[in-house]
Amino acid sequence: RIELTKAFNRWYQEKYGEEVALEWIDQGGASDNLKFVESLYKKNPEGIGIDMFFGGGISPYLRLKELDLLEPYRVSKDILKFLPDKCAGVPNYDTKDFSWYGIVLSGFGILYNKRVLDFLNLPVPSDWDSLGDGRYYTWVGNGDPRHSGSLHMMYEIILQAYGWRKGWNVILSMSGNTKNFSASASSVAKNTSSGEVAVSLCIDSYALAQIEVNGDENMGFFFPENLTVINPDAIGILKGAKNLVVAQRFIDYLLSYEGQLLSMQKKGITGGPEQYSLNRFSIRSDVYEHPDFKGRVFNPYTLKGAINYNFDLAADRWNLLNDMVGALVIDCHRSLKKAWKICLETEDKRLEDRFFEIPVEAGLQKFFWENWADPVFRNHYINQWLNFSIEKYDSVLKMRRLYR
């Protein structure tokens, strides 16, 4: 926010001879921000006094477009010619109506603390599934997707990479090893670098920031091969925006070569930030030809083996998935951890089968997400699933006593 505010103001003065101010509003994360914006439009359908929605991947923009809450804006041909339609099969912008644009590209992977792993004599995890290995019990860092868009994205990636049933097994075992659930993705990354946890789910920008601060001799990060996706962090102009022209020009700046260079270049280097490296990957293909980057940094457009990500499915079940993770994992985490420890200690398949039970099979998802906007329906099933989970985890303890 600090770097973009300064840089945009400088660019605006040079181009238009006027000063401009940005006011940032944050409710905690992309998921919280989306709920906030939707609630405001219910009271003021013609406009809410907020000009833009920024960040959180693609799904929030598909939702906002579905609700007709975005103002289309087509950027110039000079920008579009350097903006590929897709990266690793995922759209970079709304090619039909130009209602949203990816600003930077984000990858999702696993951050790990080399010193902690060495101290514990543990290996670097190999993929999402390995985070459920009992050797990492209490050493996994994780967060709440109901508050963070990037954390939500990683749960969605796991479900799409492994499939619904296997994906939930990965989520549940990984959660059994989780020490606690942070509200923000940045906190998860910081907890990993401080040694509170050894490994964690992490978006690349937070991981690279921790590596920059702590050194690559102490921290590492990787994308699970064939099990992840590159996803744009996007921006869109909200319906009824009062500062429409300035909002359009902000998108112009962000997608300019100058704006994209700011995202990738290290602090203190010409074209880069002044105080804080942003550690983001450019969405413009030409920026990777810069002498500081060509052949030296990861180029997302060269990624091979990304999953075939279904972004329509992700958008449809956004809220449903958040609430399922809340009811089946986070809000009953204490019971879940106890049950998982028993499963690890006994290695009894009957207990594991019970532990991995879920109340929603893949074929029923659509029924739930189509009715999820009904608060009575939603709250009924959230409570039902929470009770199901607590009873399930408690029964693992009872079954253990029975089988002794």
Side-chain angles (χ1 to χ4, degrees):
R1 299 176 194 175
I2 292 171
E3 296 294 347
L4 281 179
T5 299
K6 289 188 295 186
F8 178 55
N9 191 27
R10 184 167 56 246
W11 177 87
Y12 202 91
Q13 288 189 62
E14 292 174 356
K15 197 170 183 68
Y16 300 106
E18 301 175 0
E19 288 192 359
V20 67
L22 296 178
E23 180 182 353
W24 301 84
I25 304 171
D26 191 358
Q27 299 302 304
S31 297
D32 289 326
N33 288 332
L34 183 60
K35 293 176 189 173
F36 177 67
V37 166
E38 286 190 40
S39 68
L40 291 180
Y41 272 110
K42 288 178 181 178
K43 300 175 183 176
N44 304 282
E46 299 305 314
I48 59 174
I50 301 173
D51 299 305
M52 313 189 82
F53 196 92
F54 194 5
I58 291 179
S59 295
Y61 301 88
L62 300 181
R63 170 66 177 168
L64 290 168
K65 183 179 178 180
E66 179 186 346
L67 296 173
D68 194 27
L69 297 179
L70 293 175
E71 296 277 1
Y73 172 59
R74 182 165 185 159
V75 298
S76 69
K77 292 181 180 179
D78 289 338
I79 290 177
L80 283 178
K81 68 182 180 182
F82 294 114
L83 199 61
D85 291 354
K86 296 181 179 180
C87 179
V90 178
N92 280 337
Y93 63 97
D94 179 2
T95 56
K96 181 181 179 182
D97 299 317
F98 303 95
S99 62
W100 59 267
Y101 293 90
I103 298 302
V104 291
L105 293 168
S106 296
F108 302 85
I110 296 173
L111 177 67
Y112 57 96
N113 189 312
K114 296 179 180 180
R115 290 186 177 273
V116 174
L117 289 178
D118 287 345
F119 179 78
L120 297 172
N121 196 29
L122 291 175
V124 174
S126 57
D127 52 28
W128 306 115
D129 194 11
S130 64
L131 295 179
D133 188 317
R135 292 176 293 178
Y136 297 107
Y137 185 73
T138 73
W139 286 105
V140 174
N142 209 333
D144 193 332
R146 294 173 295 185
H147 301 293
S148 167
S150 62
L151 289 166
H152 170 97
M153 185 68 183
M154 283 179 275
Y155 284 95
E156 181 65 51
I157 286 171
I158 289 170
L159 288 175
Q160 293 206 24
Y162 293 99
W164 181 257
R165 200 63 192 82
K166 170 65 175 174
W168 271 106
N169 285 3
V170 173
I171 290 172
L172 290 169
S173 59
M174 174 181 71
S175 301
N177 287 339
T178 295
K179 183 171 186 177
N180 52 51
F181 285 87
S182 302
S184 69
S186 60
S187 296
V188 178
K190 291 173 183 175
N191 289 342
T192 313
S193 64
S194 69
E196 184 173 337
V197 294
V199 296
S200 64
L201 286 74
C202 200
I203 189 173
D204 53 15
S205 56
Y206 290 142
L208 294 173
Q210 293 304 318
I211 292 172
E212 182 181 20
V213 171
N214 297 285
D216 58 11
E217 70 276 13
N218 297 312
M219 304 294 297
F221 175 74
F222 71 95
F223 298 126
E225 188 175 354
N226 299 318
L227 292 170
T228 192
V229 70
I230 299 295
N231 189 60
D233 242 352
I235 193 168
I237 302 173
L238 291 170
K239 177 183 176 181
K242 292 183 178 179
N243 301 291
L244 180 61
V245 173
V246 177
Q248 292 170 343
R249 290 172 177 174
F250 187 49
I251 292 178
D252 290 341
Y253 167 70
L254 291 173
L255 291 175
S256 69
Y257 190 92
E258 182 180 348
Q260 292 288 294
L261 186 60
L262 183 80
S263 294
M264 284 193 66
Q265 193 60 277
K266 295 297 182 184
K267 65 180 180 181
I269 298 177
T270 302
E274 295 177 8
Q275 296 173 272
Y276 307 100
S277 297
L278 304 187
N279 296 303
R280 308 309 299 266
F281 292 113
S282 171
I283 201 163
R284 282 181 63 131
S285 57
D286 56 332
V287 176
Y288 296 95
E289 298 300 314
H290 189 284
D292 290 347
F293 307 142
K294 190 173 183 179
R296 299 182 180 182
V297 300
F298 171 69
N299 183 343
Y301 291 106
T302 65
L303 177 70
K304 297 179 181 179
I307 64 172
N308 185 19
Y309 188 78
N310 186 334
F311 58 91
D312 287 326
L313 172 63
D316 286 338
R317 67 185 183 190
W318 175 284
N319 291 323
L320 173 64
L321 176 56
N322 281 347
D323 289 330
M324 283 193 69
V325 174
L328 305 186
V329 175
I330 299 174
D331 295 341
C332 53
H333 187 232
R334 182 177 295 182
S335 297
L336 184 154
K337 281 179 69 175
K338 290 179 180 178
W340 180 238
K341 187 176 183 181
I342 290 171
C343 290
L344 294 175
E345 291 172 348
T346 61
E347 297 183 351
D348 189 318
K349 189 176 184 304
R350 293 168 295 184
L351 300 184
E352 289 187 6
D353 288 344
R354 178 63 172 144
F355 177 85
F356 287 122
E357 287 181 12
I358 57 172
V360 180
E361 293 305 319
L364 290 175
Q365 292 177 76
K366 187 176 180 180
F367 164 74
F368 284 106
W369 78 54
E370 286 182 342
N371 292 282
W372 211 241
D374 181 343
V376 176
F377 179 93
R378 173 176 173 266
N379 289 329
H380 169 77
Y381 278 102
I382 288 175
N383 289 330
Q384 185 181 98
W385 295 341
L386 180 58
N387 291 334
F388 167 90
S389 299
I390 293 173
E391 180 182 345
K392 177 185 71 168
Y393 299 132
D394 287 347
S395 72
V396 171
L397 178 59
K398 295 175 183 176
M399 290 168 67
R400 181 196 189 188
R401 293 170 180 162
L402 181 64
Y403 295 144
R404 276 180 172 174

